[in-house]
């Protein structure tokens, strides 16, 4: 069974979470992406967020929120995604870049608009009273 290894950034504000929509996609995803060979979680987080959102993540402030798995959206049956999630501070102005078409602050009511693994993360954050 194939597994896609991803690292994601959890950025919360006022009970909402920053999400991204890639060009040509109709599903929202947490910002982040696939690890490159030899990269640590923090290196992946720093590189992916710089590419997607034009800001510099403070990797030293990164705190592990959890690791979640689900069927990978848009992939063949049997392919799963494992998402290792971190909160972290950042420097700069958030701006969609690279393949990101737009960003949005989503609440729990938007759960149906996100990928399967993000739905699990939304549930986790809601249970911790972090997402309204």
């Amino acid at each position: 069974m194939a597994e896609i290894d991803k690292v994601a950034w959890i950025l919360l504000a006022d009970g909402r979470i920053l999400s991204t929509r890639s060009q040509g996609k109709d599903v929202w995803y947490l910002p982040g992406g696939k690890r490159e060979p030899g990269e640590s979680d923090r290196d992946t987080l720093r590189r992916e967020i710089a590419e997607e959102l034009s800001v510099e993540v403070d990797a030293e402030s990164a705190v592990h929120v959890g690791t979640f798995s689900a069927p990978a959206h848009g992939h063949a049956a049997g392919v799963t995604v494992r998402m290792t999630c971190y909160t972290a501070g950042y420097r700069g102005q958030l701006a969609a870049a690279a393949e990101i078409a737009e960003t949005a602050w989503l609440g729990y009511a938007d759960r149906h608009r996100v990928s399967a693994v993000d739905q699990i993360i939304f549930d986790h954050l809601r249970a911790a009273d972090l997402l309204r």
Side-chain angles (χ1 to χ4, degrees):
M1 182 144 85
E3 181 177 72
I4 300 167
D5 179 22
K6 289 188 163 187
V7 177
W9 188 30
I10 304 287
L11 184 60
L12 295 159
D14 300 321
R16 297 190 178 282
I17 189 165
L18 182 68
S19 292
T20 60
R21 188 182 62 77
S22 295
Q23 305 280 353
K25 305 278 182 163
D26 59 354
V27 172
W28 292 79
Y29 299 90
L30 295 177
K34 296 177 192 160
R35 178 190 322 270
E36 291 185 354
E39 262 187 338
S40 70
D41 287 357
R42 284 173 171 79
D43 289 343
T44 304
L45 188 66
R46 184 184 300 117
R47 178 184 52 75
E48 283 287 342
I49 300 310
E51 288 174 8
E52 293 184 355
L53 297 172
S54 307
V55 296
E56 182 184 345
V57 166
D58 176 11
E60 300 310 310
S61 73
V63 175
H64 183 247
V65 172
T67 301
F68 308 89
S69 293
H73 180 78
H75 289 268
V79 177
T80 61
V81 61
R82 182 183 62 166
M83 191 93 78
T84 306
C85 300
Y86 291 88
T87 59
Y90 70 95
R91 289 178 290 284
Q93 194 71 26
L94 292 166
E99 75 272 15
I100 304 303
E102 62 181 321
T103 63
W105 292 94
L106 302 182
Y108 193 74
D110 299 302
R111 183 183 181 275
H112 67 283
R113 299 170 64 192
V114 303
S115 70
V117 73
D118 286 12
Q119 289 180 7
I120 293 168
I121 296 163
F122 272 43
D123 293 343
H124 175 82
L125 295 171
R126 175 75 172 208
D129 203 28
L130 296 172
L131 190 63
R132 59 180 166 95

